Amino acid sequence: MISTATMIQLGKVKGNKMVDMQLSNDKLVDRGVKMIMGEIPVTYEKASELLKTFGSVRNAVDGFNNN
Protein backbone atom coordinates (compact mmCIF):
# COMPACT_ATOMS: atom_id res chain seq x y z
CA MET A 1 0.00 0.00 0.00
CA ILE A 2 2.85 2.38 0.81
CA SER A 3 4.66 1.55 -2.44
CA THR A 4 1.44 2.12 -4.42
CA ALA A 5 0.97 5.56 -2.86
CA THR A 6 4.60 6.39 -3.58
CA MET A 7 4.31 5.39 -7.23
CA ILE A 8 1.20 7.56 -7.61
CA GLN A 9 2.97 10.54 -6.05
CA LEU A 10 5.98 10.05 -8.33
CA GLY A 11 3.71 10.15 -11.37
CA LYS A 12 4.44 6.59 -12.47
CA VAL A 13 0.74 5.70 -12.66
CA LYS A 14 -1.76 6.76 -15.30
CA GLY A 15 -5.36 6.01 -14.42
CA ASN A 16 -5.11 2.68 -12.67
CA LYS A 17 -2.08 1.39 -14.61
CA MET A 18 1.63 1.50 -13.85
CA VAL A 19 3.10 3.10 -16.98
CA ASP A 20 6.75 3.37 -15.91
CA MET A 21 7.34 -0.30 -15.10
CA GLN A 22 10.55 -2.10 -15.95
CA LEU A 23 10.01 -4.33 -18.95
CA SER A 24 11.99 -7.24 -17.53
CA ASN A 25 10.15 -10.18 -19.12
CA ASP A 26 7.90 -11.08 -22.05
CA LYS A 27 4.72 -10.86 -19.98
CA LEU A 28 5.45 -7.25 -18.96
CA VAL A 29 6.44 -6.30 -22.50
CA ASP A 30 3.15 -7.75 -23.78
CA ARG A 31 1.25 -5.86 -21.08
CA GLY A 32 3.05 -2.63 -22.05
CA VAL A 33 2.24 -3.12 -25.73
CA LYS A 34 -1.43 -3.64 -24.89
CA MET A 35 -1.45 -0.50 -22.71
CA ILE A 36 -0.06 1.50 -25.63
CA MET A 37 -2.75 0.06 -27.90
CA GLY A 38 -5.36 1.14 -25.36
CA GLU A 39 -4.07 4.72 -25.34
CA ILE A 40 -3.43 5.28 -29.05
CA PRO A 41 -4.92 3.71 -32.20
CA VAL A 42 -2.05 1.50 -33.43
CA THR A 43 -1.55 -2.15 -34.27
CA TYR A 44 0.19 -4.60 -31.95
CA GLU A 45 3.31 -4.50 -34.13
CA LYS A 46 3.45 -0.68 -34.17
CA ALA A 47 2.89 -0.53 -30.39
CA SER A 48 5.70 -3.05 -29.89
CA GLU A 49 7.99 -0.96 -32.09
CA LEU A 50 7.12 2.20 -30.14
CA LEU A 51 7.78 0.46 -26.84
CA LYS A 52 11.20 -0.78 -28.02
CA THR A 53 12.07 2.67 -29.37
CA PHE A 54 10.98 4.72 -26.35
CA GLY A 55 11.61 2.21 -23.54
CA SER A 56 8.46 2.81 -21.51
CA VAL A 57 4.72 3.03 -21.99
CA ARG A 58 4.60 6.69 -20.94
CA ASN A 59 7.39 7.74 -23.30
CA ALA A 60 5.92 5.74 -26.20
CA VAL A 61 2.49 7.36 -25.84
CA ASP A 62 3.96 10.83 -25.33
CA GLY A 63 6.35 10.35 -28.27
CA PHE A 64 3.53 9.22 -30.55
CA ASN A 65 1.27 12.10 -29.50
CA ASN A 66 4.04 14.67 -30.07
CA ASN A 67 4.59 13.57 -33.69
Side-chain angles (χ1 to χ4, degrees):
M1 190 127 162
I2 293 171
S3 63
T4 302
T6 301
M7 293 300 158
I8 292 169
Q9 289 175 346
L10 291 173
K12 297 190 177 285
V13 176
K14 184 173 183 175
N16 63 346
K17 297 178 180 141
M18 177 77 113
V19 294
D20 286 337
M21 62 188 172
Q22 290 190 5
L23 305 170
S24 58
N25 62 43
D26 291 339
K27 179 182 173 184
L28 293 176
V29 171
D30 184 58
R31 184 179 298 161
V33 169
K34 289 176 181 173
M35 279 193 250
I36 293 170
M37 291 173 62
E39 293 290 322
I40 55 178
V42 294
T43 64
Y44 188 92
E45 292 76 22
K46 180 64 177 174
S48 179
E49 180 184 318
L50 287 168
L51 187 58
K52 288 177 186 171
T53 301
F54 288 99
S56 77
V57 173
R58 177 187 307 279
N59 292 339
V61 172
D62 289 347
F64 180 84
N65 288 332
N66 290 332
N67 287 332

